Amino acid sequence: MFAPKCAACGKSITPVEGTGETVRVVSMDKDFHVDCYVCESCGLQLTDEPDQRCYPLDGRLLCRNCHLHRLHAMGRTSSNIQDVGATYVE
C-alpha cells in the first residue's frame, strides 16, 4: 500500500476503520493525521477555524499565540504574520 506518512508521528495515514475514506491534513507540503496536526509548543489542535490556524515559524507548526511569543523572544516583529492554509483531504 502506498499510504502517505504523517510528518508528525511517522505512521501511515490509512482509511478510517469501517470506511474507505482517508482523511489527512496537508500543510507546508507535508501530510498529517488530523489528530497529529497540533501546535508543537502548546499542543493546541490546529484547524481551519480562525482562532486555531497554523502559523509556522522555522518549519514548526505553531498556533498564533505561540508564534507571536517566539517572535517576541527572538526580537522579531509580528507585523506581517500570516496563517498557512491547510487542506483537509479525503
Side-chain angles (χ1 to χ4, degrees):
M1 184 178 207
F2 298 101
K5 300 276 187 205
C6 177
C9 72
K11 295 180 182 177
S12 296
I13 302 172
T14 57
V16 177
E17 191 172 322
T19 73
E21 292 185 357
T22 301
V23 179
R24 63 189 164 112
V25 178
V26 180
S27 181
M28 299 184 330
D29 294 325
K30 298 176 185 175
D31 297 307
F32 298 89
H33 290 106
V34 172
D35 292 339
C36 292
Y37 190 58
V38 298
C39 175
E40 294 179 32
S41 185
C42 71
L44 175 74
Q45 180 73 50
L46 300 172
T47 69
D48 60 352
E49 295 296 319
D51 60 339
Q52 291 182 284
R53 290 188 177 144
C54 180
Y55 293 82
L57 183 64
D58 298 330
R60 301 177 90 59
L61 300 175
L62 299 173
C63 68
R64 186 175 192 279
N65 288 339
C66 291
H67 178 100
L68 291 172
H69 179 74
R70 286 194 185 201
L71 281 179
H72 180 71
M74 295 165 45
R76 291 166 60 184
T77 180
S78 61
S79 61
N80 291 327
I81 69 164
Q82 294 181 348
D83 62 30
V84 166
T87 304
Y88 289 76
V89 181
E90 291 184 22

Coordinates of all heavy atoms in Angstrom, one line a residue:
M1 N 0.8 -1.2 0.0 CA 0.0 0.0 0.0 C 0.9 1.2 0.0 O 1.9 1.3 0.6 CB -0.9 0.0 1.2 CG -1.9 1.1 1.3 SD -2.8 0.8 2.8 CE -4.3 1.5 2.4
F2 N 0.5 2.3 -0.7 CA 1.2 3.5 -0.8 C 0.6 4.6 -0.1 O 0.3 5.7 -0.6 CB 1.4 3.8 -2.3 CG 2.2 2.8 -3.1 CD1 1.5 1.9 -3.9 CD2 3.5 2.7 -3.0 CE1 2.2 0.9 -4.6 CE2 4.2 1.7 -3.7 CZ 3.5 0.8 -4.5
A3 N 0.3 4.4 1.2 CA -0.3 5.5 2.0 C 0.8 6.5 2.4 O 1.9 6.2 2.7 CB -0.8 4.8 3.3
P4 N 0.3 7.8 2.4 CA 1.3 8.9 2.8 C 1.6 8.7 4.3 O 0.9 8.2 5.1 CB 0.5 10.2 2.6 CG -0.9 9.8 2.6 CD -1.0 8.3 2.1
K5 N 2.8 9.1 4.7 CA 3.3 9.1 6.0 C 3.0 10.4 6.7 O 3.2 11.5 6.1 CB 4.8 8.8 6.1 CG 5.2 7.5 5.5 CD 5.1 6.4 6.4 CE 5.7 5.1 5.8 NZ 5.1 3.9 6.3
C6 N 2.6 10.4 8.0 CA 2.4 11.6 8.8 C 3.7 12.2 9.1 O 4.6 11.5 9.6 CB 1.6 11.2 10.0 SG 1.3 12.6 11.1
A7 N 3.9 13.5 8.9 CA 5.1 14.2 9.2 C 5.3 14.3 10.7 O 6.5 14.5 11.1 CB 5.1 15.6 8.5
A8 N 4.3 14.2 11.5 CA 4.5 14.3 12.9 C 4.8 13.0 13.6 O 5.8 13.0 14.4 CB 3.2 14.9 13.5
C9 N 4.1 12.0 13.3 CA 4.3 10.7 14.0 C 5.0 9.6 13.2 O 5.5 8.6 13.7 CB 2.9 10.1 14.5 SG 1.9 9.5 13.2
G10 N 5.1 9.8 11.9 CA 5.8 8.9 11.0 C 5.0 7.7 10.6 O 5.5 6.9 9.8
K11 N 3.7 7.6 11.1 CA 2.9 6.4 10.7 C 2.1 6.7 9.4 O 1.9 7.8 9.1 CB 2.0 6.1 11.9 CG 2.6 5.6 13.1 CD 1.7 5.3 14.2 CE 2.4 4.9 15.5 NZ 1.4 4.7 16.6
S12 N 1.7 5.6 8.8 CA 0.9 5.7 7.6 C -0.4 6.3 7.9 O -1.0 6.0 8.9 CB 0.8 4.3 6.9 OG 2.0 3.8 6.5
I13 N -0.9 7.1 6.9 CA -2.3 7.7 7.0 C -3.2 6.8 6.2 O -3.1 6.8 5.0 CB -2.3 9.1 6.5 CG1 -1.3 10.0 7.3 CG2 -3.7 9.7 6.6 CD1 -1.1 11.4 6.8
T14 N -3.9 6.0 6.9 CA -4.8 5.0 6.2 C -6.3 5.3 6.4 O -6.6 6.1 7.3 CB -4.5 3.6 6.8 OG1 -4.7 3.6 8.2 CG2 -3.0 3.2 6.5
P15 N -7.1 4.6 5.7 CA -8.6 4.8 5.8 C -9.1 4.6 7.2 O -8.5 3.7 8.0 CB -9.2 3.8 4.8 CG -8.1 3.6 3.8 CD -6.8 3.6 4.6
V16 N -10.0 5.3 7.6 CA -10.7 5.1 8.9 C -11.3 3.8 8.9 O -12.0 3.4 7.9 CB -11.7 6.3 9.2 CG1 -12.5 6.0 10.5 CG2 -11.1 7.6 9.2
E17 N -11.2 3.0 10.0 CA -11.7 1.7 10.1 C -13.2 1.7 9.8 O -14.0 2.5 10.3 CB -11.4 1.0 11.4 CG -11.7 -0.4 11.5 CD -11.3 -1.0 12.8 OE1 -10.2 -0.6 13.3 OE2 -12.0 -1.9 13.3
G18 N -13.6 0.8 8.9 CA -15.0 0.6 8.6 C -15.5 1.5 7.4 O -16.6 1.5 7.0
T19 N -14.5 2.3 6.9 CA -14.9 3.2 5.8 C -13.7 3.1 4.8 O -12.7 2.5 5.0 CB -15.0 4.7 6.2 OG1 -13.7 5.2 6.5 CG2 -15.9 4.9 7.4
G20 N -14.0 3.6 3.6 CA -12.9 3.6 2.6 C -12.3 5.0 2.5 O -11.5 5.3 1.6
E21 N -12.6 5.9 3.4 CA -12.1 7.3 3.4 C -10.8 7.5 4.2 O -10.8 7.1 5.3 CB -13.2 8.2 3.9 CG -14.4 8.4 3.0 CD -15.3 9.4 3.5 OE1 -15.1 10.0 4.6 OE2 -16.3 9.6 2.8
T22 N -9.9 8.1 3.6 CA -8.7 8.5 4.3 C -8.7 10.0 4.4 O -8.9 10.7 3.4 CB -7.4 8.1 3.4 OG1 -7.4 6.7 3.2 CG2 -6.1 8.6 4.2
V23 N -8.7 10.5 5.6 CA -8.7 11.9 5.9 C -7.3 12.3 6.4 O -6.8 11.7 7.3 CB -9.8 12.3 6.9 CG1 -9.8 13.8 7.2 CG2 -11.1 11.8 6.4
R24 N -6.7 13.3 5.8 CA -5.4 13.8 6.2 C -5.4 15.3 6.0 O -6.2 15.9 5.3 CB -4.3 13.2 5.4 CG -4.4 13.5 3.9 CD -3.4 12.7 3.1 NE -3.7 12.8 1.7 CZ -3.0 13.4 0.8 NH1 -1.9 13.9 1.1 NH2 -3.4 13.4 -0.5
V25 N -4.5 16.0 6.7 CA -4.3 17.4 6.6 C -3.0 17.6 5.8 O -2.0 16.9 6.1 CB -4.1 18.1 8.0 CG1 -3.8 19.6 7.8 CG2 -5.3 17.8 8.8
V26 N -3.0 18.5 4.8 CA -1.8 18.8 4.1 C -1.5 20.3 4.4 O -2.3 21.2 4.1 CB -2.0 18.6 2.5 CG1 -0.8 19.0 1.8 CG2 -2.4 17.2 2.2
S27 N -0.3 20.5 5.0 CA 0.1 21.8 5.4 C 1.6 21.9 5.2 O 2.3 20.9 5.5 CB -0.3 22.1 6.8 OG 0.1 23.4 7.2
M28 N 2.1 23.0 4.7 CA 3.5 23.2 4.4 C 4.1 22.1 3.6 O 5.2 21.6 3.8 CB 4.3 23.3 5.8 CG 3.8 24.5 6.6 SD 4.8 24.8 8.1 CE 5.3 23.2 8.7
D29 N 3.3 21.6 2.6 CA 3.7 20.5 1.7 C 4.0 19.2 2.4 O 4.8 18.4 2.0 CB 4.9 20.9 0.9 CG 4.6 22.0 -0.1 OD1 3.4 22.0 -0.6 OD2 5.4 22.9 -0.4
K30 N 3.4 19.0 3.6 CA 3.5 17.8 4.4 C 2.2 17.2 4.7 O 1.2 18.0 4.8 CB 4.3 18.0 5.7 CG 5.7 18.5 5.5 CD 6.3 18.9 6.8 CE 7.7 19.5 6.6 NZ 8.3 19.9 7.9
D31 N 2.1 15.9 4.9 CA 0.8 15.2 5.3 C 0.8 15.0 6.8 O 1.9 14.6 7.4 CB 0.7 13.9 4.6 CG 0.7 14.0 3.1 OD1 -0.2 14.8 2.6 OD2 1.5 13.4 2.4
F32 N -0.4 15.1 7.4 CA -0.6 14.9 8.8 C -1.9 14.1 9.1 O -2.9 14.4 8.4 CB -0.6 16.2 9.6 CG 0.6 17.1 9.5 CD1 0.8 18.0 8.5 CD2 1.6 16.9 10.5 CE1 1.9 18.8 8.4 CE2 2.8 17.7 10.4 CZ 2.9 18.6 9.4
H33 N -1.9 13.3 10.1 CA -3.2 12.8 10.7 C -3.9 14.0 11.2 O -3.2 14.9 11.7 CB -3.0 11.8 11.8 CG -2.4 10.5 11.4 ND1 -1.1 10.1 11.7 CD2 -3.0 9.4 10.8 CE1 -0.9 8.9 11.2 NE2 -2.0 8.5 10.7
V34 N -5.2 14.0 11.2 CA -5.9 15.2 11.8 C -5.5 15.4 13.2 O -5.3 16.5 13.7 CB -7.4 15.0 11.6 CG1 -8.2 16.0 12.4 CG2 -7.8 15.0 10.1
D35 N -5.4 14.3 14.0 CA -5.1 14.3 15.4 C -3.6 14.7 15.6 O -3.3 15.2 16.7 CB -5.3 13.0 16.1 CG -6.8 12.7 16.2 OD1 -7.6 13.6 16.1 OD2 -7.2 11.5 16.4
C36 N -2.8 14.6 14.7 CA -1.3 15.0 14.8 C -1.1 16.4 14.4 O 0.0 16.9 14.6 CB -0.5 14.1 14.0 SG -0.4 12.3 14.5
Y37 N -2.1 17.1 13.8 CA -1.9 18.5 13.4 C -2.2 19.4 14.5 O -3.2 19.9 14.7 CB -2.9 18.7 12.2 CG -2.7 20.0 11.5 CD1 -1.4 20.3 10.9 CD2 -3.7 21.0 11.4 CE1 -1.3 21.5 10.2 CE2 -3.5 22.2 10.7 CZ -2.3 22.4 10.1 OH -2.1 23.6 9.5
V38 N -1.1 19.6 15.4 CA -1.2 20.3 16.6 C 0.0 21.3 16.7 O 1.0 21.1 16.1 CB -1.3 19.4 17.9 CG1 -2.5 18.5 17.9 CG2 0.0 18.6 18.0
C39 N -0.2 22.3 17.5 CA 0.9 23.3 17.8 C 2.0 22.5 18.5 O 1.8 21.8 19.5 CB 0.4 24.4 18.7 SG 1.7 25.6 19.2
E40 N 3.2 22.7 18.0 CA 4.3 21.9 18.6 C 4.8 22.5 19.9 O 5.6 21.9 20.6 CB 5.5 21.9 17.6 CG 5.2 21.2 16.3 CD 6.4 21.2 15.3 OE1 7.5 21.2 15.7 OE2 6.1 21.1 14.1
S41 N 4.3 23.7 20.3 CA 4.6 24.3 21.5 C 3.6 24.0 22.6 O 4.0 23.5 23.7 CB 4.8 25.8 21.4 OG 5.3 26.4 22.5
C42 N 2.4 24.2 22.4 CA 1.4 24.1 23.4 C 0.4 22.9 23.3 O -0.4 22.6 24.1 CB 0.5 25.4 23.6 SG -0.6 25.7 22.2
G43 N 0.4 22.3 22.1 CA -0.4 21.1 21.8 C -1.8 21.5 21.4 O -2.7 20.5 21.2
L44 N -2.2 22.7 21.1 CA -3.5 23.1 20.6 C -3.8 22.4 19.3 O -2.9 22.4 18.4 CB -3.6 24.6 20.4 CG -4.9 25.2 19.8 CD1 -6.0 25.1 20.9 CD2 -4.7 26.6 19.3
Q45 N -5.0 21.8 19.2 CA -5.4 21.2 17.9 C -5.5 22.3 16.9 O -6.3 23.3 17.1 CB -6.7 20.5 18.1 CG -7.2 19.8 16.9 CD -6.4 18.6 16.5 OE1 -6.2 17.7 17.3 NE2 -6.0 18.5 15.3
L46 N -4.8 22.2 15.8 CA -4.9 23.2 14.7 C -6.0 22.8 13.8 O -6.1 21.6 13.4 CB -3.5 23.3 14.0 CG -2.4 23.7 14.9 CD1 -1.1 23.6 14.1 CD2 -2.6 25.1 15.4
T47 N -6.8 23.8 13.3 CA -7.9 23.5 12.4 C -7.9 24.7 11.4 O -7.0 25.5 11.3 CB -9.2 23.5 13.1 OG1 -9.5 24.8 13.6 CG2 -9.2 22.5 14.3
D48 N -9.0 24.7 10.6 CA -9.1 25.9 9.7 C -10.0 27.0 10.3 O -10.4 27.9 9.7 CB -9.7 25.4 8.4 CG -11.1 24.7 8.5 OD1 -11.5 24.5 9.6 OD2 -11.7 24.4 7.4
E49 N -10.3 26.8 11.6 CA -11.0 27.9 12.3 C -10.1 29.1 12.6 O -8.9 28.9 12.8 CB -11.5 27.4 13.7 CG -12.6 26.3 13.6 CD -13.9 26.8 12.9 OE1 -14.3 27.9 13.2 OE2 -14.4 26.0 12.1
P50 N -10.6 30.3 12.5 CA -9.7 31.5 12.6 C -8.8 31.5 13.8 O -7.7 32.0 13.8 CB -10.7 32.7 12.6 CG -11.9 32.2 11.9 CD -12.0 30.7 12.2
D51 N -9.3 31.1 15.0 CA -8.5 31.2 16.2 C -7.7 29.9 16.4 O -7.0 29.8 17.5 CB -9.4 31.4 17.4 CG -10.5 30.3 17.6 OD1 -10.8 29.6 16.6 OD2 -11.0 30.2 18.7
Q52 N -7.6 29.0 15.5 CA -6.9 27.8 15.7 C -6.0 27.4 14.4 O -5.6 26.3 14.2 CB -7.8 26.6 16.0 CG -8.4 26.7 17.3 CD -9.3 25.5 17.6 OE1 -10.4 25.3 17.1 NE2 -8.7 24.6 18.5
R53 N -5.7 28.4 13.6 CA -5.0 28.2 12.4 C -3.5 28.0 12.7 O -3.0 28.4 13.7 CB -5.2 29.3 11.4 CG -6.6 29.3 10.8 CD -6.8 30.2 9.7 NE -8.1 30.1 9.2 CZ -8.9 31.1 8.8 NH1 -8.4 32.3 8.8 NH2 -10.1 30.9 8.3
C54 N -2.8 27.5 11.7 CA -1.4 27.2 11.8 C -0.6 28.5 11.4 O -0.8 29.0 10.3 CB -1.0 26.0 11.0 SG 0.8 25.7 11.0
Y55 N 0.4 28.9 12.2 CA 1.3 30.0 11.9 C 2.7 29.5 12.0 O 3.3 29.6 13.1 CB 1.1 31.2 12.9 CG -0.3 31.8 12.7 CD1 -1.4 31.3 13.3 CD2 -0.4 33.0 12.0 CE1 -2.7 31.9 13.1 CE2 -1.6 33.6 11.8 CZ -2.8 33.1 12.4 OH -4.0 33.7 12.2
P56 N 3.2 28.8 11.0 CA 4.5 28.2 11.1 C 5.7 29.2 11.3 O 5.6 30.3 10.8 CB 4.7 27.4 9.8 CG 3.8 28.1 8.8 CD 2.7 28.7 9.6
L57 N 6.7 28.7 11.9 CA 7.9 29.5 12.1 C 9.1 28.6 12.1 O 9.1 27.6 12.9 CB 7.8 30.3 13.4 CG 9.0 31.2 13.7 CD1 9.1 32.4 12.7 CD2 8.9 31.8 15.1
D58 N 10.0 28.8 11.2 CA 11.2 28.0 11.1 C 10.8 26.5 10.9 O 11.4 25.6 11.5 CB 12.1 28.2 12.3 CG 12.6 29.6 12.4 OD1 12.8 30.3 11.4 OD2 12.9 30.0 13.6
G59 N 9.8 26.2 10.1 CA 9.4 24.9 9.8 C 8.6 24.2 10.9 O 8.4 23.0 10.8
R60 N 8.2 24.9 11.9 CA 7.5 24.3 13.0 C 6.0 24.7 13.0 O 5.7 25.8 12.7 CB 8.1 24.7 14.4 CG 9.5 24.2 14.5 CD 10.2 24.7 15.8 NE 10.1 23.8 16.9 CZ 10.6 22.6 17.0 NH1 11.1 22.0 15.9 NH2 10.5 21.9 18.1
L61 N 5.1 23.8 13.3 CA 3.7 24.1 13.4 C 3.4 24.8 14.7 O 3.7 24.3 15.8 CB 2.8 22.8 13.4 CG 3.0 21.9 12.2 CD1 2.2 20.6 12.4 CD2 2.5 22.6 10.9
L62 N 2.9 26.0 14.6 CA 2.6 26.8 15.8 C 1.2 27.4 15.7 O 0.8 27.8 14.6 CB 3.6 27.9 16.0 CG 5.1 27.4 16.2 CD1 6.0 28.6 16.2 CD2 5.2 26.6 17.5
C63 N 0.6 27.6 16.8 CA -0.7 28.4 16.9 C -0.3 29.8 16.9 O 0.9 30.2 17.0 CB -1.5 28.0 18.1 SG -0.7 28.5 19.7
R64 N -1.2 30.7 16.7 CA -0.9 32.2 16.6 C -0.2 32.7 17.9 O 0.8 33.4 17.8 CB -2.2 32.9 16.4 CG -2.0 34.4 16.1 CD -3.3 35.1 15.8 NE -3.0 36.5 15.3 CZ -2.8 37.5 16.0 NH1 -2.8 37.4 17.3 NH2 -2.6 38.7 15.5
N65 N -0.7 32.3 19.1 CA -0.1 32.8 20.3 C 1.3 32.3 20.5 O 2.2 33.1 20.8 CB -1.0 32.3 21.5 CG -2.3 33.0 21.6 OD1 -2.4 34.1 21.1 ND2 -3.2 32.4 22.3
C66 N 1.6 31.1 20.2 CA 3.0 30.5 20.3 C 3.9 31.2 19.3 O 5.1 31.5 19.5 CB 3.0 29.0 20.2 SG 2.2 28.2 21.7
H67 N 3.3 31.4 18.1 CA 4.1 32.0 17.0 C 4.5 33.4 17.5 O 5.7 33.8 17.4 CB 3.3 32.1 15.7 CG 3.9 32.8 14.6 ND1 4.5 32.1 13.6 CD2 4.1 34.1 14.3 CE1 5.0 33.0 12.7 NE2 4.8 34.2 13.1
L68 N 3.6 34.2 18.0 CA 3.9 35.6 18.4 C 4.9 35.6 19.6 O 5.8 36.4 19.7 CB 2.6 36.3 18.8 CG 1.7 36.6 17.7 CD1 0.3 37.2 18.2 CD2 2.3 37.6 16.7
H69 N 4.7 34.6 20.5 CA 5.6 34.5 21.7 C 7.0 34.2 21.2 O 8.0 34.9 21.7 CB 5.1 33.4 22.6 CG 6.0 33.2 23.8 ND1 6.0 34.1 24.9 CD2 6.9 32.3 24.1 CE1 6.9 33.7 25.8 NE2 7.4 32.6 25.3
R70 N 7.2 33.3 20.3 CA 8.5 33.0 19.8 C 9.1 34.2 19.0 O 10.3 34.4 19.1 CB 8.5 31.8 18.9 CG 8.3 30.5 19.7 CD 8.6 29.3 18.9 NE 8.4 28.1 19.7 CZ 8.9 26.9 19.5 NH1 9.7 26.8 18.4 NH2 8.6 25.9 20.2
L71 N 8.3 34.9 18.2 CA 8.8 36.1 17.5 C 9.3 37.1 18.5 O 10.4 37.7 18.3 CB 7.7 36.7 16.6 CG 7.4 36.0 15.3 CD1 6.3 36.8 14.6 CD2 8.7 36.0 14.4
H72 N 8.5 37.3 19.6 CA 8.9 38.3 20.6 C 10.2 37.9 21.3 O 11.1 38.7 21.5 CB 7.8 38.4 21.6 CG 8.1 39.4 22.7 ND1 8.2 40.8 22.5 CD2 8.4 39.2 24.0 CE1 8.5 41.4 23.6 NE2 8.7 40.4 24.6
A73 N 10.3 36.6 21.6 CA 11.6 36.1 22.3 C 12.8 36.2 21.4 O 13.9 36.4 21.9 CB 11.3 34.6 22.7
M74 N 12.6 36.1 20.1 CA 13.7 36.3 19.1 C 13.9 37.7 18.7 O 14.8 38.0 17.9 CB 13.3 35.5 17.8 CG 13.2 34.0 18.1 SD 12.4 33.0 16.7 CE 13.1 33.6 15.3
G75 N 13.1 38.6 19.3 CA 13.3 40.0 19.0 C 12.9 40.4 17.6 O 13.3 41.4 17.0
R76 N 12.0 39.6 17.0 CA 11.5 39.9 15.7 C 10.1 40.5 15.7 O 9.4 40.4 16.7 CB 11.4 38.6 14.8 CG 12.8 38.1 14.5 CD 12.9 36.7 14.0 NE 12.2 36.5 12.8 CZ 12.1 35.2 12.2 NH1 12.7 34.2 12.8 NH2 11.5 35.1 11.1
T77 N 9.7 41.2 14.7 CA 8.4 41.9 14.6 C 7.3 40.9 14.2 O 7.6 40.0 13.5 CB 8.5 43.1 13.7 OG1 7.2 43.7 13.7 CG2 8.8 42.7 12.3
S78 N 6.1 41.3 14.6 CA 5.0 40.4 14.3 C 4.0 41.1 13.4 O 2.9 40.8 13.3 CB 4.3 40.0 15.6 OG 3.8 41.1 16.3
S79 N 4.5 42.1 12.7 CA 3.6 43.0 11.9 C 3.0 42.3 10.7 O 1.9 42.6 10.2 CB 4.3 44.2 11.4 OG 5.4 43.9 10.6
N80 N 3.6 41.3 10.1 CA 3.1 40.6 8.9 C 3.0 39.1 9.0 O 3.2 38.4 8.1 CB 4.1 40.9 7.8 CG 4.0 42.4 7.3 OD1 3.0 43.0 7.4 ND2 5.2 42.9 6.9
I81 N 2.5 38.6 10.2 CA 2.3 37.2 10.3 C 1.1 36.7 9.5 O 0.1 37.5 9.4 CB 2.2 36.7 11.7 CG1 0.9 37.1 12.4 CG2 3.4 37.1 12.5 CD1 0.6 36.3 13.7
Q82 N 1.2 35.6 8.9 CA 0.1 35.0 8.2 C -0.1 33.5 8.5 O 0.9 32.9 8.7 CB 0.3 35.2 6.7 CG 0.3 36.6 6.2 CD 0.5 36.7 4.7 OE1 0.9 35.7 4.0 NE2 0.3 37.9 4.2
D83 N -1.3 33.1 8.5 CA -1.5 31.7 8.7 C -1.2 30.9 7.4 O -1.1 31.5 6.4 CB -2.9 31.4 9.2 CG -4.0 31.8 8.2 OD1 -3.8 31.7 7.0 OD2 -5.1 32.1 8.6
V84 N -1.0 29.6 7.6 CA -0.8 28.8 6.4 C -2.1 28.0 6.2 O -2.7 27.4 7.1 CB 0.3 27.7 6.8 CG1 0.3 26.6 5.7 CG2 1.6 28.4 6.8
G85 N -2.5 28.1 5.0 CA -3.7 27.3 4.6 C -3.5 25.8 4.7 O -2.5 25.3 4.1
A86 N -4.3 25.1 5.4 CA -4.2 23.7 5.5 C -5.3 23.1 4.6 O -6.4 23.7 4.6 CB -4.3 23.2 6.9
T87 N -5.1 22.0 4.0 CA -6.1 21.4 3.2 C -6.5 20.1 3.9 O -5.6 19.3 4.2 CB -5.6 21.1 1.8 OG1 -5.2 22.3 1.2 CG2 -6.7 20.5 0.9
Y88 N -7.8 19.8 4.1 CA -8.2 18.6 4.7 C -8.7 17.7 3.5 O -9.6 18.1 2.7 CB -9.4 18.8 5.6 CG -8.9 19.4 6.9 CD1 -8.6 20.8 7.0 CD2 -8.8 18.7 8.0 CE1 -8.2 21.4 8.1 CE2 -8.3 19.3 9.2 CZ -8.1 20.6 9.3 OH -7.6 21.2 10.4
V89 N -7.9 16.6 3.3 CA -8.1 15.8 2.1 C -8.8 14.5 2.5 O -8.4 13.8 3.4 CB -6.8 15.5 1.4 CG1 -7.0 14.7 0.2 CG2 -6.1 16.8 1.1
E90 N -9.8 14.1 1.7 CA -10.5 12.8 1.9 C -10.1 11.9 0.8 O -9.9 12.3 -0.3 CB -12.0 13.0 2.0 CG -12.4 13.7 3.2 CD -13.9 13.8 3.4 OE1 -14.6 13.0 2.8 OE2 -14.4 14.7 4.1

